[in-house]
Amino acid sequence: MKNILVKIIENIKLNDDYFLLWIHAPEISKSISSGQFFEIKIAGNNFPLLRKPISVFEVKNENVGFMIKKIGRGTENFSHLKKNDVLDIIGPLGNSFELPSQKEVLLISGGIGYAPLHNLKKELLSNNNNVTWIHGGRSTNDIFSSDFTFTDDGSSGQKGFVTIGMEEILLKKKFDLIYCCGPKIMMKKCSEIAKKFHTKMFVSLEEYMACGIGVCHGCAVAIKKNDSFTYKTVCKDGPIFNSNEVIWNE
Amino acid sequence: MKNILVKIIENIKLNDDYFLLWIHAPEISKSISSGQFFEIKIAGNNFPLLRKPISVFEVKNENVGFMIKKIGRGTENFSHLKKNDVLDIIGPLGNSFELPSQKEVLLISGGIGYAPLHNLKKELLSNNNNVTWIHGGRSTNDIFSSDFTFTDDGSSGQKGFVTIGMEEILLKKKFDLIYCCGPKIMMKKCSEIAKKFHTKMFVSLEEYMACGIGVCHGCAVAIKKNDSFTYKTVCKDGPIFNSNEVIWNE
Amino acid sequence: MNRLKTKLGKLELKNPITVASGTFGVENNNFIDFNSLGAIVSKTITKNEKIGNPPPRLYETSNGLLNSIGLQNPGLKGFIENVLPKYATYETPFIVSFSGSTIDEFSEILLELEKYDSISGYEVNVSCPNVENEGIAFGTDPKIVYKLTKQLASQTDKELIIKLTPNVTDIVSIAKAAEDAGANSLALINTLLGMSIDWKSGKSHIRRGIAGYSGPAIKPVAIQNVYRVSSNVKIPILAMGGVSNWKDALEFFYAGANVVAIGTYNFVNPKITIETIDNLNRHFLSRNQNLTEIIGKINGIN
Amino acid sequence: MNRLKTKLGKLELKNPITVASGTFGVENNNFIDFNSLGAIVSKTITKNEKIGNPPPRLYETSNGLLNSIGLQNPGLKGFIENVLPKYATYETPFIVSFSGSTIDEFSEILLELEKYDSISGYEVNVSCPNVENEGIAFGTDPKIVYKLTKQLASQTDKELIIKLTPNVTDIVSIAKAAEDAGANSLALINTLLGMSIDWKSGKSHIRRGIAGYSGPAIKPVAIQNVYRVSSNVKIPILAMGGVSNWKDALEFFYAGANVVAIGTYNFVNPKITIETIDNLNRHFLSRNQNLTEIIGKINGIN
Ligand SMILES: Cc1cc2nc3c(=O)[nH]c(=O)nc-3n(C[C@H](O)[C@H](O)[C@H](O)COP(=O)(O)OP(=O)(O)OC[C@H]3O[C@@H](n4cnc5c(N)ncnc54)[C@H](O)[C@@H]3O)c2cc1C
Ligand SMILES: Cc1cc2nc3c(=O)[nH]c(=O)nc-3n(C[C@H](O)[C@H](O)[C@H](O)COP(=O)(O)OP(=O)(O)OC[C@H]3O[C@@H](n4cnc5c(N)ncnc54)[C@H](O)[C@@H]3O)c2cc1C
Ligand SMILES: Cc1cc2nc3c(=O)[nH]c(=O)nc-3n(C[C@H](O)[C@H](O)[C@H](O)COP(=O)(O)O)c2cc1C
Ligand SMILES: Cc1cc2nc3c(=O)[nH]c(=O)nc-3n(C[C@H](O)[C@H](O)[C@H](O)COP(=O)(O)O)c2cc1C
Ligand code: FES
Ligand code: FES
């Protein structure tokens, strides 16, 4: 991991809520694995105080892409960034997705949970896996290219939750591995379904972060340990965990 | 006094340190007297928290001009304002300069102390007074049109303090009234000289302000009262005080 | 239907927004209609006139304000003659904040104020040094707060509010002392203690050194105190500390406030009280909910 | 000539900048050279491992941070086995922060740590509840602080720092108790107590409700505490609370700090400590002045 200044190459507006930020970062682009994230802030701007954890959406040679959803002050500020503006980033951070080969892999995402799976998909394919992707969101704005699409309001794809599609497809076909990222409640439901179908699943978790490097213990998540549990850090031990190890109700 | 939103008509850069901000404010432009000030902030921007007190530099029909010196975050922010940006202002505030007629009047200013005397001069002249203006500053950037000019570093006009010019001119000529605005130390020195020459002098004071309307008692200045003193508010009882009443060392 | 009605002890208020002592005065009627407020609280007055502390008295820090006014006020007599009549014309309940340096002094002020019908209640400022007790602030000792409150409660039937300082180890014990002694409600928080120094010269930005710290920066501390006190007493709470908009006010209601006062933010936006009332009104209408349904209903803690 | 030399009791430090407990760890060596720091302070450890509090544990407020980590740490044994060796390779003095729930527990931890030469001193975190004394935090009672400090002082010749909490009525009495009992220096301030609530749902942003409040918003409170304590004790002060740059550090030195720690701002800028040292160096060089000349030299107060 490094703390470096990088330049914005392009800020692509996807729709009113989402945008894609491309940075030029030769120093670190080669050391990134899918599922990792960066702690980013605008150089010289210390409001908000804390950096924002953002997953790697895609790595293209020396460039790194972040897909971001506007939800509050920090992400709103990012949305105004222009070419040549400077980001202050720390990363790559966290563990990464296991990269199998010659497997049947199911990806399930909700909303901005799409971001970390996008780079993963590319790597899975080039590692000779078969990939199926179910993506869901609240409404059309939350929908991006995938194999099966769901929206809460029916404005795109099928009306309903991704869990419907997950059950259906697992009934029809056997998968070796599932990767899942989205709202906590969605990941919890998906993890119950994966369990029912005895399929190994990894989730990418989110928690409020301060340091991003494992020193402050702020980003705790309850993980099973023997008959009880302990707290692990999303930023260092995670963000990827085996869904069976996560205590969803803690 | 009113709290209103007004539009910037023009922001004129005078030099690297000073700029002139013109607003369109028909609702209040006619009720302004020389020496009064406004508590101003950029609409929608609450950093810094407090408004900044700024004197009226000039009133031109429905427009009001502020002459501002960049010294910190607040004034720096103002310097970036552009045409059609919106200011949130409270005013006019405070008392105003006595407006005599057919008198010999001396104006003395230091640095940004120039601002409140500019409108006063216009009014004094149209009220048939004779006006002489001595202005001083640290360096060329701090110098604006006047009859006698002084700089600390000698880069414009005479090298030295305005007090030199004041003593010289008072030795030569009798003035009925002096108006003075500038750094505290300058006003203090000028007030000693005015006293020596038995000339009535008014000063425009500055203090840190919160409310600007006389309710918080934040902007206290020590003013003589019988054998002792009391604290008056610069924002409501002032900013103009008879220099003999001010306790300069408090 | 008025969704913003609330009670502060004996007072029924048409809405829960008032102003914090010392940050508001008659001049504010240039900006807002006083009859729109839930209540008005005066600047703290003392028995004799006080000229206050030497300047500089103010300094803005990052998202907060330091003040060292030193309770400048015209004294009881000056207040009654020149200030009180100006508020008598409004329907809005007028609450007088006062302070003293001995219990007798507090008691004397209250007795005099009791003569005026235009006063609806009292906010007792106990953040000042107690000369009877080695100069330790009244508000830091539960025993003294008890004694003082008991005395004042015996002298009035009007709303008696004790205003607490947050600069104590255990605010709950002081709140309970006031409640046990007969306070009708509690106001909190007064300012934190803060200081600021010019890094260039080493000069204190405030002449007296230690000052009162207010504004958005202290909001988390205020919420915490309101939550702890409201969980431990039965009497209502008039809360303040860093409120800058209606969302902040909601946070305080969830924490247990019955009424919310805005202080420092009056300087930033003199219409903030009215805007807050309007926005709260809209909020509760759109939720088809009454203010009183959410008071103290903080959740998610374990 | 090194203009930044300073002393913290028995320790001679090459510069006055260190890190606040709990905001820094071995991972920070990805960003800075630990040998450049004046000292390093560990996260607080306890006798047994602690898994910490349930999440959410963090929330950012306006210019401040709420945290509720719950002293998550690997315990004394885990610390000695896995953490301590990683710091042993640096020349920079390493100070271990620890805490306990009884005086015996503190004493036991110290005895064990005494075995390790790579430890230069101890920062005793007394902001935790005292099980022997009805759960009241150690740090709020001067008598208990005296007793605890006396005990620990008798057990070590290394630098003994007592870290004070600001959430008390009278921090000076507690500072004096520590001094009288043999503390070599004092650290202050630990976090204020704060809370934050989601206005939409009424849900506490922090699962445990009340949290520790740090960052720029608390700086005025920290300066005030440092000023008051340093004016009343003779032992040196390791100060912290909201430092975000070298100018803030200067403010603390003027207020009476001998050493300054940066906490929350390590999250914002992991190179902040080094940048602060560089800038202070430049500042004192350009003024032809030594750090020690300005410590406690606040002026302009009356
Ligand atoms: C490992 C990880 C990877 C992420 N990847 C992406 C991504 O690729 N694209 C994307 O758009 N979003 C991503 N997020 C979420 C993103 O970090 C938040 O949306 C962002 O921090 C919101 O900040 P804000 O100031 O806009 O909103 P705020 O209004 O400040 O907060 C809104 C919500 O965002 C979350 N949040 C705020 N601050 C933090 C913080 N410091 N740390 C963690 N969460 C916070 C909290 O849930 C909060 O309630 C990721 C989060 C994590 C933990
Ligand atoms: C009655 C009056 C009239 C003034 N007229 C003018 C004018 O016409 N043109 C002009 O350029 N300046 C004028 N000033 C000064 C102007 O208000 C300050 O320069 C400005 O507030 C600085 O703010 P800042 O954020 O840029 O600087 P900061 O870095 O915040 O502060 C620098 C210094 O400015 C002063 N200051 C800061 N905040 C305030 C405040 N809220 N109230 C009062 N003083 C403050 C203090 O002395 C402070 O040390 C006037 C001041 C007063 C009291
Ligand atoms: C300039 C100023 C003057 C104040 N004067 C008083 C006072 O006279 N009496 C009092 O009880 N509180 C006084 N306070 C404290 C406020 O009433 C309030 O408790 C505190 O500022 C917190 O609220 P805020 O953050 O909204 O300002 C004063 C505060 C300020 C900023
Ligand atoms: C996330 C976090 C964890 C902390 N953990 C500890 C701790 O374990 N022991 C301790 O004494 N102080 C702890 N503190 C308090 C800091 O050491 C410091 O006293 C406080 O944060 C003020 O400094 P700052 O404003 O620079 O952060 C912690 C603070 C934060 C923000
Ligand atoms: S954010 Fe600090 S440990 Fe994860
Ligand atoms: S600034 Fe409030 S009284 Fe003058």
Side-chain angles (χ1 to χ4, degrees), chain C residues 6-223:
Chain C
T6 186
K7 271 167 92 170
L8 185 69
K10 297 170 177 178
L11 300 177
E12 311 242 346
L13 307 185
K14 62 179 171 299
N15 71 61
I17 299 300
T18 182
V19 292
S21 178
T23 64
F24 191 88
V26 178
E27 289 80 356
N28 287 77
N29 67 12
N30 284 290
F31 311 124
I32 59 168
D33 175 3
F34 284 8
N35 282 326
S36 304
L37 295 171
I40 298 173
V41 181
S42 81
K43 164 95 188 147
T44 299
I45 59 163
T46 53
K47 189 178 154 193
N48 300 313
E49 183 188 350
K50 267 186 193 287
I51 65 164
N53 289 340
R57 294 180 175 182
L58 294 170
Y59 190 74
E60 179 173 344
T61 64
S62 69
N63 229 356
L65 176 65
L66 292 171
N67 90 78
S68 164
I69 309 300
L71 287 188
Q72 177 167 354
N73 79 91
L76 181 57
K77 195 159 161 283
F79 173 79
I80 288 171
E81 282 169 14
N82 302 317
V83 183
L84 190 53
K86 293 184 181 147
Y87 288 99
T89 56
Y90 301 103
E91 295 154 17
T92 303
F94 184 57
I95 293 164
V96 177
S97 168
F98 67 93
S99 194
S101 52
T102 63
I103 292 184
D104 281 350
E105 215 173 271
F106 276 99
S107 163
E108 203 180 313
I109 297 170
L110 183 72
L111 276 180
E112 181 62 25
L113 293 173
E114 275 288 291
K115 298 179 188 158
Y116 300 88
D117 286 344
S118 56
I119 299 172
S120 301
Y122 307 103
E123 188 179 272
V124 186
N125 180 350
V126 294
S127 302
C128 43
N130 177 356
V131 298
E132 284 164 343
N133 193 28
E134 298 173 342
I136 294 163
F138 277 88
T140 61
D141 183 339
K143 287 194 208 82
I144 297 171
V145 168
Y146 182 88
K147 210 172 144 192
L148 171 65
T149 309
K150 190 103 191 164
Q151 171 68 29
L152 299 180
S154 74
Q155 293 178 209
T156 184
D157 288 328
K158 291 182 184 171
E159 180 66 17
L160 182 66
I161 311 164
I162 307 295
K163 182 166 178 181
L164 307 178
T165 164
N167 303 300
V168 295
T169 309
D170 181 14
I171 198 170
V172 169
S173 67
I174 295 155
K176 280 185 171 162
E179 179 179 43
D180 291 347
N184 303 121
S185 54
L186 301 169
L188 59 152
I189 61 174
N190 214 316
T191 50
L192 293 179
L193 297 178
M195 244 175 120
S196 179
I197 302 172
D198 179 32
W199 65 269
K200 288 203 198 91
S201 63
K203 204 169 155 186
S204 170
H205 280 126
I206 299 283
R207 182 71 81 89
R208 273 285 148 88
I210 297 174
Y213 187 32
S214 65
I218 73 166
K219 195 183 71 175
V221 178
I223 297 279

Side-chain angles (χ1 to χ4, degrees), chain B residues 208-219 233-235, chain C residues 58:
Chain B
Y208 218 97
M209 293 187 179
C211 73
I213 59 171
V215 307
C216 77
H217 298 292
C219 59
T233 57
V234 169
C235 71
Chain C
L58 294 170

Side-chain angles (χ1 to χ4, degrees), chain B residues 10-144:
Chain B
E10 206 180 357
N11 183 351
I12 305 166
K13 186 173 169 168
L14 299 175
N15 58 46
D16 281 352
D17 298 329
Y18 294 83
F19 57 99
L20 210 55
L21 216 52
W22 282 97
I23 57 166
H24 182 63
E27 293 176 74
I28 44 91
S29 63
K30 275 167 203 78
S31 57
I32 297 170
S33 310
S34 283
Q36 289 193 296
F37 68 97
F38 284 78
E39 277 273 59
I40 78 176
K41 71 192 275 283
I42 300 172
N45 180 340
N46 300 329
F47 301 90
L49 275 180
L50 296 181
R51 288 158 184 273
K52 300 294 172 178
I54 301 291
S55 301
V56 172
F57 172 74
E58 191 170 345
V59 182
K60 253 193 210 153
N61 305 319
E62 298 190 330
N63 298 339
V64 181
F66 299 118
M67 177 180 168
I68 302 177
K69 181 178 183 188
K70 274 193 266 181
I71 61 161
R73 185 156 60 133
T75 47
E76 169 77 31
N77 289 349
F78 295 148
S79 75
H80 299 302
L81 285 167
K82 289 183 304 286
K83 189 175 168 168
N84 288 328
D85 284 347
V86 180
L87 273 192
D88 176 338
I89 67 171
I90 297 178
L93 299 169
N95 65 0
S96 51
F97 292 113
E98 262 180 34
L99 198 61
S101 71
Q102 302 189 305
K103 302 273 165 166
E104 277 298 335
V105 180
L106 180 61
L107 306 182
I108 307 174
S109 55
I112 186 63
Y114 189 86
L117 301 189
H118 181 261
N119 207 49
L120 174 65
K121 180 182 168 190
K122 231 173 75 174
E123 291 193 357
L124 285 170
L125 291 179
S126 61
N127 231 22
N128 300 314
N129 299 281
N130 265 330
V131 178
T132 310
W133 193 337
I134 307 177
H135 177 70
R138 225 179 273 169
S139 192
T140 304
N141 268 4
D142 303 294
I143 297 308
F144 309 98

Side-chain angles (χ1 to χ4, degrees), chain D residues 242-277:
Chain D
V243 176
S244 70
N245 57 45
W246 59 284
K247 295 174 186 176
D248 291 344
L250 284 172
E251 215 181 319
F252 276 93
F253 296 133
Y254 277 114
N258 304 72
V259 176
V260 162
I262 300 178
T264 304
Y265 235 74
N266 285 303
F267 307 145
V268 183
N269 174 8
K271 294 171 191 145
I272 184 66
T273 44
I274 301 303
E275 290 175 8
T276 301
I277 293 164

Side-chain angles (χ1 to χ4, degrees), chain D residues 31-266:
Chain D
F31 313 123
I32 61 169
D33 175 3
F34 284 7
N35 282 326
S36 304
L37 294 171
I40 298 173
V41 181
S42 81
K43 165 92 189 148
T44 299
I45 59 164
T46 53
K47 189 178 154 193
N48 300 313
E49 181 188 351
K50 267 185 195 284
I51 65 164
N53 289 340
R57 293 180 174 183
L58 295 170
Y59 190 75
E60 179 174 344
T61 64
S62 67
N63 230 355
L65 176 65
L66 292 171
N67 89 77
S68 165
I69 309 300
L71 289 187
Q72 176 166 355
N73 80 89
L76 181 58
K77 194 160 163 283
F79 173 80
I80 288 171
E81 284 170 13
N82 301 316
V83 183
L84 191 54
K86 295 185 181 148
Y87 288 98
T89 55
Y90 301 104
E91 295 154 18
T92 303
F94 184 58
I95 293 165
V96 177
S97 167
F98 66 93
S99 194
S101 50
T102 63
I103 292 184
D104 280 352
E105 214 173 273
F106 276 99
S107 162
E108 202 181 316
I109 297 171
L110 183 72
L111 276 181
E112 181 61 27
L113 292 173
E114 276 288 290
K115 298 179 188 156
Y116 300 88
D117 286 343
S118 56
I119 298 173
S120 300
Y122 308 102
E123 187 179 273
V124 185
N125 180 352
V126 293
S127 302
C128 43
N130 176 355
V131 298
E132 283 164 343
N133 192 27
E134 297 172 343
I136 294 163
F138 277 88
T140 62
D141 183 338
K143 289 194 208 81
I144 297 172
V145 168
Y146 183 89
K147 207 171 146 191
L148 172 65
T149 309
K150 189 103 192 163
Q151 172 67 30
L152 299 180
S154 75
Q155 292 178 211
T156 184
D157 288 327
K158 292 183 183 169
E159 179 67 15
L160 181 66
I161 312 165
I162 308 294
K163 181 165 181 182
L164 307 178
T165 163
N167 303 300
V168 295
T169 309
D170 181 14
I171 197 169
V172 169
S173 66
I174 295 157
K176 280 184 171 164
E179 178 178 44
D180 292 346
N184 303 120
S185 54
L186 301 168
L188 60 151
I189 60 174
N190 215 315
T191 50
L192 293 179
L193 298 178
M195 242 174 120
S196 179
I197 302 172
D198 179 31
W199 65 270
K200 287 204 200 91
S201 62
K203 204 168 155 184
S204 170
H205 280 126
I206 299 283
R207 181 70 81 88
R208 273 284 148 88
I210 297 173
Y213 187 33
S214 66
I218 74 166
K219 194 185 71 175
V221 177
I223 296 280
Q224 179 261 135
N225 278 292
V226 169
Y227 170 69
R228 274 208 292 154
V229 169
S230 72
S231 316
N232 285 284
V233 301
K234 291 191 192 67
I235 52 177
I237 287 173
L238 164 52
M240 66 212 72
V243 176
S244 70
N245 57 45
W246 59 284
K247 295 174 186 176
D248 291 344
L250 284 172
E251 215 181 319
F252 276 93
F253 296 133
Y254 277 114
N258 304 72
V259 176
V260 162
I262 300 178
T264 304
Y265 235 74
N266 285 303

